Amino acid sequence: MKPNLLLALLLAIPTHGCTSPDTLPDNPHSTPLQRTVDEYLRSYTKTWQRLYAQSAEAEWASNTRIVEGDDTNARRTREANEALAAFTGSVENIETARRFLERKAELDRIQVLQLEAILHSAAENPQTVPDVVQAKIAADTRQTELLYGFSYQLDGQEVSTNEIDERLRKEVDLARRQTAWEASKEVGPT
């Protein structure tokens, strides 16, 4: 699962003078609706940050610690990504954001942007079709395993992508450069 950068950036912006997601707004000019939206955004952000961190850590492990025959990282990644998807695409979050946006003229611009980002993120993993979302996450996880677990071969030897890049940078013999370039593309059919 790829992070929604817009959502991450917008959730990091406090509204109404908040200094952190846990700080209650202290703005005497905010309306009851704005305070309610702030409370929802704080709660959403806190949960999203926790689930996103778990997902990112699992993705990192899947990208860096691939052991043939061991599906521990893939399972952990799939579970973390499914939990994040279930939260971001939940019917409750979709309905709440839509309900608040029906009154967007009464909200701060940042609140509107944050609620729109929440809906955008939900569209990637709508829990109205959870089986499709789970299949997508499983396919993404498998693709990551295949990509980062691929064994590149050059001149009959297993090599890293860094070694291929090094040869492409320094090799002056065009035939050897082409061999390195072709080796770098072998992951494609996989």
Side-chain angles (χ1 to χ4, degrees), residues 31-150:
T31 66
L33 174 62
Q34 290 171 335
R35 285 191 294 275
T36 301
V37 171
D38 276 343
E39 187 176 312
Y40 167 73
L41 290 171
R42 260 192 321 279
S43 173
Y44 182 98
T45 300
K46 191 173 187 176
T47 302
W48 182 84
Q49 287 174 338
R50 178 179 51 79
L51 293 171
Y52 176 75
Q54 291 170 354
S55 172
E57 289 168 6
E59 288 280 355
W60 177 256
S62 285
N63 292 345
T64 59
R65 293 183 219 123
I66 299 170
V67 178
E68 185 140 358
D70 181 4
D71 69 345
T72 306
N73 286 333
R75 191 172 54 253
R76 181 174 168 235
T77 299
R78 202 169 35 254
E79 290 168 359
N81 288 345
E82 286 173 358
L84 180 60
F87 173 73
T88 58
S90 77
V91 174
E92 179 184 357
N93 281 323
I94 293 169
E95 289 175 355
T96 301
R98 282 181 178 162
R99 187 176 68 248
F100 287 141
L101 285 171
E102 286 172 359
R103 298 175 63 185
K104 72 178 173 180
E106 302 171 54
L107 302 175
D108 287 349
R109 180 69 182 137
I110 295 298
Q111 289 176 317
V112 171
L113 289 172
Q114 288 172 322
L115 292 167
E116 288 173 347
I118 286 170
L119 287 178
H120 179 77
S121 181
E124 186 178 352
N125 300 300
Q127 293 306 300
T128 52
V129 287
D131 53 330
V132 174
V133 173
Q134 285 181 346
K136 181 179 82 91
I137 290 169
D140 286 348
T141 302
R142 180 69 180 135
Q143 182 177 356
T144 297
E145 278 185 307
L146 292 172
L147 175 63
Y148 291 104
F150 186 78

Side-chain angles (χ1 to χ4, degrees), residues 165-173 177:
D165 289 345
E166 186 70 16
R167 181 177 287 187
L168 289 171
R169 265 192 299 278
K170 293 184 176 180
E171 184 61 62
V172 292
D173 181 298
R177 280 180 56 89

